[in-house]
Amino acid sequence: MAEWSKNVGREPVRVKMLGQKFVLYRDESGTAHCLSDVCLHRGGSLSGGWTNGDCVVCPYHGWRYDGGGRLAYVPSEGDDFKAPRRARIDSYPVEERYGMVWVFLGDLPEEERFPIPPCEEFGDPRWRMMSTEVTWKAEAARVVENGIDIAHTSFVHPMFGRPETAQDNRILEIESGEWWGRSSNLQFPPKFKGNWYRRRMRRDRQPTNTHPCWYLPGMVARIRIDINSKMAIVMFDVNTPVDRQATRTFALHFRSFLKHGFFDKGSLKRLKKIFDEDAVIIEAAAPNHLPDSLAHEMSVGDDKFMRTWRAARRKCIEERGWKIDTDEVEKHRGRKVFNIPSPARRTDNMKWVIDTVPLVPPRKAHTPLKPVAERKSA
Ligand code: FES
Ligand SMILES: [Fe+2]
């Protein structure tokens, strides 16, 4: 996920994802576009420019690019100028959902892309929704893993658990597919503190059903907490890797009770507290990235669900080769730009001006991808 929809207008917006810079803007019809931020002329940053009609304009010498990344106009050349075929920058498929701008960063044809994760609570009047965001000084895989880790709640979040009941927590069910996984758990958190209402919501040792989910697309961690039979909370967190050290989490938070906006403030405060508690742990964890080999960490029964996420992720890396070789990119920092290849690179077979990012070569044989529609869906 690149940005909240409400933050993208006619004015170009700069976003960083996977260590690369992009520009987002809306054309005259309101359609959002995501292009590589680097101008082909002298490397100007398009996000520092402006829009003209359906084009984004480079602030350096005014070159204009359309939503498909094609050079449309060069002011110094006048109206007769015909752009050569090579005059094209990467433009990525964009889809807006849940008030978010989703971008597909890759060159797969549409039928081979993993779908945007479902969020059935969005727009449903039975839920009160709030949104917020947080930036972590941590790598995204660590953030996702924290989001689906039930066991840590007994230690890190006094609101949801306590160390004495860590042994009683139970995994009831785990199910996973190629790009998604879900689990069901039983926990015994403490009484809620606070006013009479909150104390009544949860009595001591009243079991809570928690349902964490992970999705590879968007690095989504979702968790539904059934506080009791009538009250539930859903957290839908999209964890965008900004670069190797930072993650921007776009969070949607739903509650099925106290739906008046009056209660948002307290609810947001508690959500912020949870993020703060997690940040202390994740930002200090080592190594910063998930270790390359499972042999360099130990797992126990409680980690079973996280292992489904790690396995699916590793499959993408080891069989599909879907990993940027960030060490290699780092070697060229400041001297060379790379672009993540967009789908047009497969169809527009030419020598593009900007080279594609180096990838970590797959280690295992690649099983061809079937169209997403034919695969087991979440
Ligand atoms: S660098 Fe973009 S127009 Fe010259
Ligand atoms: Fe947490």
Short mmCIF file of all heavy atoms in Angstrom, two decimals, residues 41 61-64 73-81:
data_model
loop_
_atom_site.label_atom_id
_atom_site.label_comp_id
_atom_site.label_asym_id
_atom_site.label_seq_id
_atom_site.Cartn_x
_atom_site.Cartn_y
_atom_site.Cartn_z
N HIS A 41 15.40 12.45 -18.27
CA HIS A 41 16.25 13.47 -18.85
C HIS A 41 17.53 13.65 -18.02
O HIS A 41 18.61 13.20 -18.41
CB HIS A 41 15.46 14.79 -18.97
CG HIS A 41 16.23 15.92 -19.57
ND1 HIS A 41 16.04 17.22 -19.17
CD2 HIS A 41 17.17 15.95 -20.53
CE1 HIS A 41 16.85 18.01 -19.87
NE2 HIS A 41 17.55 17.26 -20.71
N HIS A 61 13.05 20.57 -16.24
CA HIS A 61 12.93 21.19 -17.57
C HIS A 61 11.53 21.00 -18.17
O HIS A 61 11.34 21.12 -19.37
CB HIS A 61 13.96 20.61 -18.55
CG HIS A 61 15.35 20.55 -18.01
ND1 HIS A 61 15.82 19.47 -17.30
CD2 HIS A 61 16.36 21.45 -18.03
CE1 HIS A 61 17.07 19.69 -16.93
NE2 HIS A 61 17.43 20.88 -17.35
N GLY A 62 10.59 20.61 -17.31
CA GLY A 62 9.20 20.58 -17.74
C GLY A 62 8.75 19.41 -18.58
O GLY A 62 7.67 19.47 -19.19
N TRP A 63 9.53 18.34 -18.67
CA TRP A 63 9.07 17.18 -19.44
C TRP A 63 7.79 16.63 -18.80
O TRP A 63 7.69 16.60 -17.56
CB TRP A 63 10.13 16.08 -19.48
CG TRP A 63 11.34 16.39 -20.32
CD1 TRP A 63 11.78 17.62 -20.69
CD2 TRP A 63 12.25 15.43 -20.88
NE1 TRP A 63 12.92 17.50 -21.45
CE2 TRP A 63 13.23 16.17 -21.58
CE3 TRP A 63 12.35 14.04 -20.86
CZ2 TRP A 63 14.29 15.55 -22.25
CZ3 TRP A 63 13.40 13.42 -21.53
CH2 TRP A 63 14.35 14.17 -22.23
N ARG A 64 6.89 16.17 -19.65
CA ARG A 64 5.62 15.66 -19.13
C ARG A 64 5.47 14.17 -19.42
O ARG A 64 5.73 13.72 -20.53
CB ARG A 64 4.43 16.37 -19.80
CG ARG A 64 4.35 17.83 -19.48
CD ARG A 64 3.12 18.45 -20.15
NE ARG A 64 3.32 19.90 -20.27
CZ ARG A 64 2.63 20.69 -21.10
NH1 ARG A 64 1.70 20.16 -21.88
NH2 ARG A 64 2.88 21.98 -21.14
N TYR A 73 5.37 15.16 -23.69
CA TYR A 73 5.66 16.51 -24.17
C TYR A 73 6.99 17.00 -23.62
O TYR A 73 7.30 16.80 -22.44
CB TYR A 73 4.53 17.45 -23.73
CG TYR A 73 4.59 18.84 -24.33
CD1 TYR A 73 4.30 19.03 -25.69
CD2 TYR A 73 4.91 19.94 -23.53
CE1 TYR A 73 4.36 20.31 -26.24
CE2 TYR A 73 4.95 21.23 -24.09
CZ TYR A 73 4.68 21.40 -25.44
OH TYR A 73 4.73 22.65 -25.97
N VAL A 74 7.79 17.62 -24.50
CA VAL A 74 9.06 18.23 -24.07
C VAL A 74 9.00 19.70 -24.49
O VAL A 74 9.05 20.01 -25.68
CB VAL A 74 10.27 17.53 -24.74
CG1 VAL A 74 11.57 18.25 -24.41
CG2 VAL A 74 10.35 16.07 -24.31
N PRO A 75 8.85 20.62 -23.56
CA PRO A 75 8.61 22.03 -23.90
C PRO A 75 9.65 22.61 -24.88
O PRO A 75 9.28 23.31 -25.83
CB PRO A 75 8.68 22.74 -22.54
CG PRO A 75 8.36 21.69 -21.54
CD PRO A 75 8.86 20.40 -22.10
N SER A 76 10.94 22.27 -24.70
CA SER A 76 11.97 22.87 -25.55
C SER A 76 11.89 22.38 -26.99
O SER A 76 12.44 23.00 -27.90
CB SER A 76 13.36 22.56 -24.97
OG SER A 76 13.55 21.17 -24.95
N GLU A 77 11.23 21.25 -27.22
CA GLU A 77 11.13 20.67 -28.56
C GLU A 77 9.87 21.11 -29.29
O GLU A 77 9.75 20.90 -30.49
CB GLU A 77 11.17 19.14 -28.49
CG GLU A 77 12.43 18.57 -27.85
CD GLU A 77 13.66 18.68 -28.74
OE1 GLU A 77 13.55 18.35 -29.94
OE2 GLU A 77 14.71 19.12 -28.24
N GLY A 78 8.92 21.63 -28.55
CA GLY A 78 7.70 22.13 -29.18
C GLY A 78 6.72 21.03 -29.56
O GLY A 78 6.91 19.86 -29.27
N ASP A 79 5.67 21.45 -30.26
CA ASP A 79 4.56 20.54 -30.56
C ASP A 79 4.89 19.45 -31.56
O ASP A 79 4.23 18.43 -31.61
CB ASP A 79 3.35 21.36 -31.07
CG ASP A 79 2.74 22.20 -29.94
OD1 ASP A 79 3.01 21.86 -28.76
OD2 ASP A 79 2.02 23.17 -30.23
N ASP A 80 5.90 19.67 -32.40
CA ASP A 80 6.21 18.68 -33.44
C ASP A 80 7.01 17.49 -32.92
O ASP A 80 7.19 16.50 -33.61
CB ASP A 80 7.02 19.34 -34.58
CG ASP A 80 6.22 20.44 -35.24
OD1 ASP A 80 4.97 20.36 -35.18
OD2 ASP A 80 6.84 21.39 -35.78
N PHE A 81 7.47 17.59 -31.68
CA PHE A 81 8.33 16.55 -31.13
C PHE A 81 7.60 15.22 -31.02
O PHE A 81 6.48 15.14 -30.51
CB PHE A 81 8.83 16.99 -29.75
CG PHE A 81 9.63 15.96 -29.02
CD1 PHE A 81 10.91 15.63 -29.45
CD2 PHE A 81 9.11 15.30 -27.90
CE1 PHE A 81 11.66 14.67 -28.76
CE2 PHE A 81 9.84 14.35 -27.22
CZ PHE A 81 11.12 14.03 -27.65
#
